[in-house]
mmCIF file of all heavy atoms in Angstrom:
data_model
loop_
_atom_site.group_PDB
_atom_site.id
_atom_site.type_symbol
_atom_site.label_atom_id
_atom_site.label_comp_id
_atom_site.label_asym_id
_atom_site.label_seq_id
_atom_site.Cartn_x
_atom_site.Cartn_y
_atom_site.Cartn_z
ATOM 1 N N ALA A 1 15.525 -16.500 -16.965
ATOM 2 C CA ALA A 1 16.818 -16.376 -17.649
ATOM 3 C C ALA A 1 16.657 -15.883 -19.082
ATOM 4 O O ALA A 1 17.511 -15.162 -19.606
ATOM 5 C CB ALA A 1 17.553 -17.714 -17.622
ATOM 6 N N ASP A 2 15.542 -16.269 -19.724
ATOM 7 C CA ASP A 2 15.316 -15.892 -21.118
ATOM 8 C C ASP A 2 14.258 -14.799 -21.273
ATOM 9 O O ASP A 2 13.861 -14.478 -22.397
ATOM 10 C CB ASP A 2 14.906 -17.116 -21.929
ATOM 11 C CG ASP A 2 16.007 -18.160 -21.993
ATOM 12 O OD1 ASP A 2 17.159 -17.768 -22.286
ATOM 13 O OD2 ASP A 2 15.731 -19.347 -21.732
ATOM 14 N N ASP A 3 13.810 -14.247 -20.141
ATOM 15 C CA ASP A 3 12.851 -13.145 -20.199
ATOM 16 C C ASP A 3 13.494 -11.982 -20.960
ATOM 17 O O ASP A 3 14.617 -11.569 -20.673
ATOM 18 C CB ASP A 3 12.482 -12.712 -18.785
ATOM 19 C CG ASP A 3 11.333 -11.725 -18.739
ATOM 20 O OD1 ASP A 3 11.430 -10.670 -19.412
ATOM 21 O OD2 ASP A 3 10.349 -11.990 -18.026
ATOM 22 N N GLU A 4 12.813 -11.456 -21.942
ATOM 23 C CA GLU A 4 13.381 -10.434 -22.810
ATOM 24 C C GLU A 4 13.823 -9.190 -22.036
ATOM 25 O O GLU A 4 14.734 -8.477 -22.451
ATOM 26 C CB GLU A 4 12.355 -10.042 -23.885
ATOM 27 C CG GLU A 4 12.900 -9.143 -24.980
ATOM 28 C CD GLU A 4 14.073 -9.760 -25.742
ATOM 29 O OE1 GLU A 4 14.115 -11.013 -25.863
ATOM 30 O OE2 GLU A 4 14.946 -8.998 -26.198
ATOM 31 N N ARG A 5 13.221 -8.943 -20.886
ATOM 32 C CA ARG A 5 13.589 -7.772 -20.090
ATOM 33 C C ARG A 5 14.951 -7.929 -19.430
ATOM 34 O O ARG A 5 15.616 -6.939 -19.093
ATOM 35 C CB ARG A 5 12.538 -7.529 -18.997
ATOM 36 C CG ARG A 5 11.149 -7.166 -19.497
ATOM 37 C CD ARG A 5 10.154 -7.187 -18.347
ATOM 38 N NE ARG A 5 10.021 -8.528 -17.768
ATOM 39 C CZ ARG A 5 9.329 -8.810 -16.660
ATOM 40 N NH1 ARG A 5 8.744 -7.811 -15.972
ATOM 41 N NH2 ARG A 5 9.231 -10.058 -16.224
ATOM 42 N N PHE A 6 15.380 -9.202 -19.240
ATOM 43 C CA PHE A 6 16.562 -9.464 -18.415
ATOM 44 C C PHE A 6 17.612 -10.326 -19.112
ATOM 45 O O PHE A 6 18.529 -10.823 -18.470
ATOM 46 C CB PHE A 6 16.125 -10.179 -17.123
ATOM 47 C CG PHE A 6 14.945 -9.568 -16.419
ATOM 48 C CD1 PHE A 6 13.857 -10.354 -16.041
ATOM 49 C CD2 PHE A 6 14.902 -8.207 -16.140
ATOM 50 C CE1 PHE A 6 12.770 -9.810 -15.382
ATOM 51 C CE2 PHE A 6 13.816 -7.646 -15.487
ATOM 52 C CZ PHE A 6 12.741 -8.443 -15.112
ATOM 53 N N SER A 7 17.519 -10.505 -20.411
ATOM 54 C CA SER A 7 18.345 -11.494 -21.109
ATOM 55 C C SER A 7 19.773 -11.027 -21.413
ATOM 56 O O SER A 7 20.540 -11.751 -22.029
ATOM 57 C CB SER A 7 17.653 -11.915 -22.414
ATOM 58 O OG SER A 7 17.436 -10.785 -23.252
ATOM 59 N N ALA A 8 20.152 -9.839 -20.989
ATOM 60 C CA ALA A 8 21.531 -9.357 -21.099
ATOM 61 C C ALA A 8 21.755 -8.360 -19.968
ATOM 62 O O ALA A 8 20.794 -7.755 -19.461
ATOM 63 C CB ALA A 8 21.785 -8.692 -22.447
ATOM 64 N N ASN A 9 22.996 -8.175 -19.586
ATOM 65 C CA ASN A 9 23.263 -7.306 -18.437
ATOM 66 C C ASN A 9 22.725 -5.895 -18.651
ATOM 67 O O ASN A 9 22.146 -5.305 -17.737
ATOM 68 C CB ASN A 9 24.754 -7.245 -18.129
ATOM 69 C CG ASN A 9 25.042 -6.248 -17.017
ATOM 70 O OD1 ASN A 9 24.650 -6.441 -15.883
ATOM 71 N ND2 ASN A 9 25.686 -5.141 -17.359
ATOM 72 N N PHE A 10 22.901 -5.323 -19.846
ATOM 73 C CA PHE A 10 22.440 -3.948 -20.041
ATOM 74 C C PHE A 10 20.918 -3.862 -19.902
ATOM 75 O O PHE A 10 20.386 -2.843 -19.465
ATOM 76 C CB PHE A 10 22.918 -3.392 -21.394
ATOM 77 C CG PHE A 10 22.215 -3.933 -22.597
ATOM 78 C CD1 PHE A 10 21.090 -3.300 -23.118
ATOM 79 C CD2 PHE A 10 22.681 -5.085 -23.232
ATOM 80 C CE1 PHE A 10 20.451 -3.800 -24.236
ATOM 81 C CE2 PHE A 10 22.041 -5.582 -24.358
ATOM 82 C CZ PHE A 10 20.919 -4.955 -24.871
ATOM 83 N N LYS A 11 20.213 -4.965 -20.239
ATOM 84 C CA LYS A 11 18.758 -4.976 -20.057
ATOM 85 C C LYS A 11 18.413 -5.091 -18.573
ATOM 86 O O LYS A 11 17.495 -4.429 -18.084
ATOM 87 C CB LYS A 11 18.133 -6.130 -20.831
ATOM 88 C CG LYS A 11 18.288 -6.019 -22.342
ATOM 89 C CD LYS A 11 17.647 -7.220 -23.030
ATOM 90 C CE LYS A 11 17.785 -7.150 -24.535
ATOM 91 N NZ LYS A 11 17.171 -8.327 -25.214
ATOM 92 N N ARG A 12 19.130 -5.955 -17.861
ATOM 93 C CA ARG A 12 18.873 -6.098 -16.419
ATOM 94 C C ARG A 12 19.139 -4.787 -15.687
ATOM 95 O O ARG A 12 18.397 -4.411 -14.780
ATOM 96 C CB ARG A 12 19.744 -7.219 -15.831
ATOM 97 C CG ARG A 12 19.376 -8.602 -16.343
ATOM 98 C CD ARG A 12 20.057 -9.697 -15.549
ATOM 99 N NE ARG A 12 21.495 -9.767 -15.775
ATOM 100 C CZ ARG A 12 22.082 -10.435 -16.764
ATOM 101 N NH1 ARG A 12 21.331 -11.086 -17.660
ATOM 102 N NH2 ARG A 12 23.396 -10.478 -16.876
ATOM 103 N N SER A 13 20.199 -4.087 -16.108
ATOM 104 C CA SER A 13 20.514 -2.812 -15.463
ATOM 105 C C SER A 13 19.439 -1.768 -15.773
ATOM 106 O O SER A 13 19.019 -1.020 -14.888
ATOM 107 C CB SER A 13 21.890 -2.327 -15.931
ATOM 108 O OG SER A 13 22.290 -1.182 -15.220
ATOM 109 N N ALA A 14 18.981 -1.730 -17.009
ATOM 110 C CA ALA A 14 17.942 -0.765 -17.392
ATOM 111 C C ALA A 14 16.618 -1.053 -16.706
ATOM 112 O O ALA A 14 15.851 -0.128 -16.392
ATOM 113 C CB ALA A 14 17.769 -0.768 -18.906
ATOM 114 N N ASN A 15 16.341 -2.337 -16.448
ATOM 115 C CA ASN A 15 15.068 -2.739 -15.834
ATOM 116 C C ASN A 15 15.271 -3.215 -14.394
ATOM 117 O O ASN A 15 14.572 -4.095 -13.921
ATOM 118 C CB ASN A 15 14.425 -3.855 -16.665
ATOM 119 C CG ASN A 15 14.070 -3.393 -18.061
ATOM 120 O OD1 ASN A 15 13.364 -2.406 -18.240
ATOM 121 N ND2 ASN A 15 14.577 -4.100 -19.071
ATOM 122 N N ARG A 16 16.215 -2.599 -13.708
ATOM 123 C CA ARG A 16 16.598 -3.093 -12.389
ATOM 124 C C ARG A 16 15.473 -3.016 -11.367
ATOM 125 O O ARG A 16 15.404 -3.855 -10.469
ATOM 126 C CB ARG A 16 17.853 -2.387 -11.875
ATOM 127 C CG ARG A 16 17.736 -0.899 -11.643
ATOM 128 C CD ARG A 16 19.032 -0.337 -11.032
ATOM 129 N NE ARG A 16 20.214 -0.618 -11.834
ATOM 130 C CZ ARG A 16 21.453 -0.659 -11.349
ATOM 131 N NH1 ARG A 16 21.675 -0.446 -10.063
ATOM 132 N NH2 ARG A 16 22.475 -0.887 -12.150
ATOM 133 N N GLU A 17 14.592 -2.036 -11.469
ATOM 134 C CA GLU A 17 13.513 -1.941 -10.483
ATOM 135 C C GLU A 17 12.554 -3.126 -10.595
ATOM 136 O O GLU A 17 12.128 -3.695 -9.583
ATOM 137 C CB GLU A 17 12.766 -0.614 -10.628
ATOM 138 C CG GLU A 17 13.595 0.600 -10.260
ATOM 139 C CD GLU A 17 14.192 0.500 -8.861
ATOM 140 O OE1 GLU A 17 13.493 0.023 -7.942
ATOM 141 O OE2 GLU A 17 15.372 0.883 -8.689
ATOM 142 N N GLU A 18 12.220 -3.507 -11.829
ATOM 143 C CA GLU A 18 11.366 -4.679 -12.017
ATOM 144 C C GLU A 18 12.057 -5.944 -11.524
ATOM 145 O O GLU A 18 11.446 -6.787 -10.851
ATOM 146 C CB GLU A 18 11.014 -4.846 -13.500
ATOM 147 C CG GLU A 18 10.137 -3.745 -14.071
ATOM 148 C CD GLU A 18 9.971 -3.928 -15.572
ATOM 149 O OE1 GLU A 18 9.248 -4.873 -15.965
ATOM 150 O OE2 GLU A 18 10.561 -3.143 -16.333
ATOM 151 N N LEU A 19 13.325 -6.098 -11.856
ATOM 152 C CA LEU A 19 14.053 -7.289 -11.441
ATOM 153 C C LEU A 19 14.244 -7.310 -9.930
ATOM 154 O O LEU A 19 14.127 -8.368 -9.296
ATOM 155 C CB LEU A 19 15.408 -7.348 -12.155
ATOM 156 C CG LEU A 19 16.296 -8.556 -11.838
ATOM 157 C CD1 LEU A 19 15.538 -9.867 -11.997
ATOM 158 C CD2 LEU A 19 17.544 -8.536 -12.720
ATOM 159 N N ARG A 20 14.517 -6.152 -9.362
ATOM 160 C CA ARG A 20 14.700 -6.096 -7.911
ATOM 161 C C ARG A 20 13.427 -6.571 -7.204
ATOM 162 O O ARG A 20 13.504 -7.317 -6.219
ATOM 163 C CB ARG A 20 15.062 -4.678 -7.466
ATOM 164 C CG ARG A 20 15.271 -4.579 -5.952
ATOM 165 C CD ARG A 20 15.771 -3.209 -5.513
ATOM 166 N NE ARG A 20 16.072 -3.243 -4.100
ATOM 167 C CZ ARG A 20 17.199 -3.703 -3.585
ATOM 168 N NH1 ARG A 20 18.146 -4.170 -4.371
ATOM 169 N NH2 ARG A 20 17.391 -3.711 -2.281
ATOM 170 N N ALA A 21 12.277 -6.158 -7.694
ATOM 171 C CA ALA A 21 11.012 -6.568 -7.069
ATOM 172 C C ALA A 21 10.857 -8.085 -7.116
ATOM 173 O O ALA A 21 10.404 -8.704 -6.134
ATOM 174 C CB ALA A 21 9.849 -5.879 -7.778
ATOM 175 N N LEU A 22 11.251 -8.719 -8.214
ATOM 176 C CA LEU A 22 11.154 -10.176 -8.325
ATOM 177 C C LEU A 22 12.118 -10.873 -7.363
ATOM 178 O O LEU A 22 11.781 -11.894 -6.750
ATOM 179 C CB LEU A 22 11.450 -10.610 -9.755
ATOM 180 C CG LEU A 22 10.418 -10.176 -10.811
ATOM 181 C CD1 LEU A 22 10.926 -10.471 -12.210
ATOM 182 C CD2 LEU A 22 9.088 -10.889 -10.557
ATOM 183 N N ILE A 23 13.329 -10.313 -7.206
ATOM 184 C CA ILE A 23 14.311 -10.915 -6.298
ATOM 185 C C ILE A 23 13.859 -10.766 -4.852
ATOM 186 O O ILE A 23 13.902 -11.731 -4.071
ATOM 187 C CB ILE A 23 15.701 -10.259 -6.509
ATOM 188 C CG1 ILE A 23 16.222 -10.582 -7.903
ATOM 189 C CG2 ILE A 23 16.690 -10.727 -5.440
ATOM 190 C CD1 ILE A 23 17.486 -9.803 -8.278
ATOM 191 N N VAL A 24 13.405 -9.570 -4.483
ATOM 192 C CA VAL A 24 12.940 -9.342 -3.112
ATOM 193 C C VAL A 24 11.754 -10.245 -2.796
ATOM 194 O O VAL A 24 11.642 -10.792 -1.692
ATOM 195 C CB VAL A 24 12.580 -7.858 -2.918
ATOM 196 C CG1 VAL A 24 11.854 -7.647 -1.589
ATOM 197 C CG2 VAL A 24 13.846 -6.992 -2.966
ATOM 198 N N GLU A 25 10.880 -10.430 -3.772
ATOM 199 C CA GLU A 25 9.732 -11.324 -3.580
ATOM 200 C C GLU A 25 10.198 -12.751 -3.318
ATOM 201 O O GLU A 25 9.684 -13.436 -2.427
ATOM 202 C CB GLU A 25 8.835 -11.288 -4.808
ATOM 203 C CG GLU A 25 7.594 -12.188 -4.703
ATOM 204 C CD GLU A 25 6.766 -12.201 -5.983
ATOM 205 O OE1 GLU A 25 7.224 -11.654 -7.006
ATOM 206 O OE2 GLU A 25 5.655 -12.773 -5.955
#
């Protein structure tokens, strides 16, 4: 939740491939 890559929607959208890999895992 506090990971700097994902701490706001615009960051999650910009880093969606990294986040997607974590969710799929």
